[in-house]
Amino acid sequence: MIGGGVAGCSVAYHLARLGWTEVILVERHELTEGTTWHSAGFVGQLRSTVTQTKMIMYSAGLYPELARLTGLDPGWHGVGGLRLATTPERVEESLRLAGAGETYGLGLEVLSGAEAKERFPLLYADDVRAALWLPGDGWLDPALLARALAAGARKLGVRILTGTRVVGLDVAGGAITGVRLASGTEGAEDFEEWPVRAETVVVAAGAASGWVGRLAGVDIPVVPIKHQYVVTEPFGVPSSMPTVRDPDNIVYFREENGGILVGGYIRNPEIWSTAAPLEEPRTVFPPDMPKFQESWDSAVRRVPALAATRITKVVHGPEAFTPDGEFLLGETSVRGLWTAAGFCVHGLAAAGGVGKVMAEWIVDGSPEYDVFGMDLRRFGAHARSAAWSRAKALDSYSKYYDIVYPGEERTAARPLRRSPAWVRHAELGAVFGEKAGWERVNWFESNARPAAEPGLGHRPDGLEDRGLRRGGGDGRGVRPAGWAGRIWSPAVREECLATRDAAGLFDQTSFAKLEVAGAGALEGLQRACAGQLDRPVGSIVYTQLLNARGGVEADLTVTRLADDRFRLVTGTAFGVHDAAWLRGQGVDVRDVTSAHACYCLWGPRALDILGSVCGDDLTFGYLRAREISVGGVPVLAQRVTFVGEFGWELYCPSEYGLTLWDTLIAAGTPYGMRPAGYRAIDSMRLEKGYRVWGLDITPETTPYEAGLGFAVAGDKDFLGRAALDAAHRSADDRRTSAVPAASPKAPVPARSLFCLVLDDPRQVCLGGEPVRSGGLPASRVTSGGYGHRVDRSIAYAYLPRGTAPGDRVEVGVTGTWVGAAVAAEPLYDPSSERVRRLPPSSSA
């Protein structure tokens, strides 16, 4: 364990608690003297993601345990917390947070400004429109917490070496083999250097983690940013004062020694550029009060008594920020070398949870919680660039207290990765989003106008007009209420309807593409994948990678290109993660993402369109792949869809990408085809009930719970099968003789993912909204949106066994409870005839 702050101490403690008996923690100074010591220590339990909140709630429960084990006070002050809202937009955000808080049982309240002032009388609250009161919040003394964790670790057998620095990391065969340590002053009599053999090493060195990682040739994109807070002289502030966050005014404060600690996230942060971060203990910078002036002025407005109070201490130290403001956890590209870094913003609050998930990950192979959003492998090779990491981290810091609307796109360090057809997208008025560094089309603003009827062609069911007129009036659609209508365009509806009635052309070049080939390829994938892959060449299999608990670690398609060669296609941001998972199962994987462009042609006119530029037989079946030529371009056509319409994913070598796009646009335009973007895909996949990994399915959910039992092979062994079989036996035990037995492949889990249709189509879910059943909290929305082909507001949520289509629930959308019906899925084309059957061809 490298680093003696809260991260290293927590991971060491939790490893020992799981039974590891040979854990060594090294710290070059004394404990906490790197980044931990100057933390302001705020603990706010309600965060923006499920996992963040769970980790902080776990941490809060850990402190009493530490006190009992060690007899030391971990420095916890459970005074509660206020989060103020002074604008209508912030009130909306607060109501959304309050809804999420209900699903965790946090017991929070939405207060008026006057009620907030009652909890902290020094507060000026005339402009406060609302405030969230979280009784479980508070603050920690960072040094006391780290020392309590360290004492707990020592009691469980962990050796802690202070005054010991790392001078080298030994790597052989792509794996860590040892650490070289030194103490004393180099060149002096007290200098000593010695090696330690280790197959597991955790880098938890705060702002110095990037430097340590480079000793092993690993990039850990930690960006040290200067952060200030001040402490005033005592002026009678009670120790029971709650913590206060005023995000509209980018300031936070709490009591300290009878005075107030004031901090804030400034708009013009500065990076700490140094070749040797944290070389000295308790690194601080000179005060920079001009930069802090905005935060101080905001604090004085909020607590007028501060105007007559003297500042007695300025703490200006380095914070270990990351490109997206989230932790960097998990195994690096060097096997056995792990990291627990990037403890910016809420690092101290979640320290216990970080130790828990890291220890489980190292010991058991996967943690209890879904930690992909914190996994180091969420970043690709571009994160090696210091310029990229710094630009993203500065942007993240400067906007930390800004309201982040779902679908909002930030522009820092863009564009970076671009499809061969990007230039054409720009010409067509594309509104771009970014994912994993890729520029992706959200929608084409040039599609905002309804298409002329003749260009749309005719729907096979003869209902040409119904979808355009129901709910949409003139076909432009109705802007959703609230947050869902903020980042919105009628173009999305037009793209959905064009795909339904004619065809849509989607650029999905950003798909992560992996290849597994050679002797043992099939056997390795069979062990790793839950689906049956031993199918004829040209077959496409939809499958999942499961962990030992049966949770879904990845969701992908596998195409058999030859007896000993397979191509795996997964989500844009998941390639590094999925490849690493497979390598951990002994599968040799090659990332070929950049080698291939991918365009998806979907819709009832797709056969006519592709047939006009391709002389090959295109009538091969669903979930089959074939090599064809489109114009002069060699293409692998895969008959698969994520929107519920007939068509193909068309892969070509990247150098042909622009030519293929131009060829398809020219061929499809006369048939009413429109280029389309990811917002349309998301709308249409909701109508078909297609799951999204990271939202509807995660490492915490099984295929059976997610309604994906059909993708689980019953005739082979694979990682996770034992857990699924145990769950199946448990489900069998729960059945009574009055209930018909389910198929062995379809156990009845305690909860299942259900489709909900909201009564008010203008109320659109964005994910995370609370769901009540019978007036009681039951679940939260995993994903939601508007289905333009069915004109319904759709959401998905896990609900308990016994729930059935027709049941009623309520969904909390920005403080408003909306009735919803549990619906049979899929809502669109329930027989999937549009996907599986060849559409009628006007040219036939």
Side-chain angles (χ1 to χ4, degrees), residues 265-625:
Y265 289 89
I266 62 176
R267 296 296 187 186
N268 55 339
E270 183 180 347
I271 288 171
W272 180 35
S273 294
T274 178
L278 304 184
E279 188 170 17
E280 300 297 325
R282 293 183 169 250
T283 298
V284 290
F285 313 113
D288 189 347
M289 297 312 293
K291 277 198 172 184
F292 194 71
Q293 195 63 48
E294 182 181 359
S295 295
W296 177 253
D297 290 344
S298 294
V300 170
R301 285 195 301 273
R302 188 59 59 212
V303 183
L306 287 173
T309 306
R310 186 168 54 91
I311 293 173
T312 59
K313 181 169 69 172
V314 178
V315 178
H316 192 193
E319 287 279 358
F321 257 76
T322 65
D324 58 3
E326 190 49 90
F327 297 123
L328 296 173
L329 309 181
E331 194 171 21
T332 71
S333 57
V334 171
R335 197 164 58 255
L337 181 63
W338 298 72
T339 185
F343 271 43
C344 51
V345 185
H346 54 276
L348 200 75
V354 168
K356 166 187 162 64
V357 300
M358 285 293 296
E360 292 169 347
W361 210 342
I362 292 168
V363 174
D364 300 327
S366 61
E368 177 185 357
Y369 306 148
D370 169 22
V371 294
F372 176 75
M374 308 171 186
D375 192 331
L376 175 68
R377 296 168 298 186
R378 68 189 182 272
F379 298 119
H382 54 280
R384 296 175 190 151
S385 163
W388 181 88
S389 294
R390 289 179 174 191
K392 298 293 278 190
L394 286 170
D395 182 68
S396 178
Y397 179 104
S398 67
K399 298 177 180 176
Y400 174 66
Y401 269 155
D402 288 1
I403 297 174
V404 180
Y405 295 105
E408 181 178 348
E409 302 286 353
R410 292 185 172 176
T411 59
R414 293 175 58 189
L416 183 63
R417 307 171 78 181
R418 289 181 270 187
S419 157
W422 179 88
V423 64
R424 297 291 189 262
H425 304 335
E427 292 168 356
L428 289 169
V431 174
F432 289 103
E434 180 269 337
K435 194 164 191 178
W438 281 98
E439 294 294 313
R440 311 193 314 171
V441 177
N442 282 336
W443 66 80
F444 289 93
E445 197 57 37
S446 56
N447 285 331
R449 297 178 303 280
E453 285 295 322
L456 284 176
H458 297 284
R459 287 185 54 180
D461 57 10
L463 302 176
E464 289 88 349
D465 298 330
R466 185 173 65 185
L468 288 170
R469 292 175 181 163
R470 287 186 62 242
D474 61 358
R476 297 174 72 88
V478 177
R479 183 182 292 272
W483 277 23
R486 284 186 167 271
I487 301 172
W488 176 90
S489 172
V492 176
R493 178 179 180 84
E494 297 306 319
E495 291 169 8
C496 292
L497 300 183
T499 304
R500 180 199 67 187
D501 297 335
L505 182 63
F506 303 82
D507 187 341
Q508 295 203 279
T509 296
S510 66
F511 272 159
K513 312 165 195 81
L514 311 173
E515 287 204 1
V516 177
L522 175 61
E523 291 75 16
L525 286 173
Q526 284 281 70
R527 290 192 304 272
C529 297
Q532 177 55 260
L533 304 184
D534 192 6
R535 300 177 184 274
V537 172
S539 296
I540 304 170
V541 177
Y542 169 60
T543 187
Q544 288 79 40
L545 309 180
L546 306 184
N547 56 40
R549 300 186 309 275
V552 180
E553 289 286 345
D555 183 70
L556 39 76
T557 60
V558 180
T559 302
R560 192 169 193 175
L561 301 176
D563 286 340
D564 62 350
R565 181 170 166 240
F566 299 82
R567 181 178 297 169
L568 288 63
V569 177
T570 185
T572 296
F574 308 146
V576 177
H577 168 274
D578 294 2
W581 181 267
L582 287 164
R583 292 184 186 115
Q585 311 309 314
V587 179
D588 186 17
V589 182
R590 188 165 64 99
D591 190 324
V592 297
T593 299
S594 299
H596 306 279
C598 174
Y599 307 128
C600 299
L601 177 62
W602 291 317
R605 307 306 297 271
L607 185 59
D608 289 332
I609 293 166
L610 195 60
S612 70
V613 289
C614 175
D616 296 299
D617 180 9
L618 300 175
T619 61
F620 54 93
Y622 182 57
L623 294 181
R624 298 287 297 171

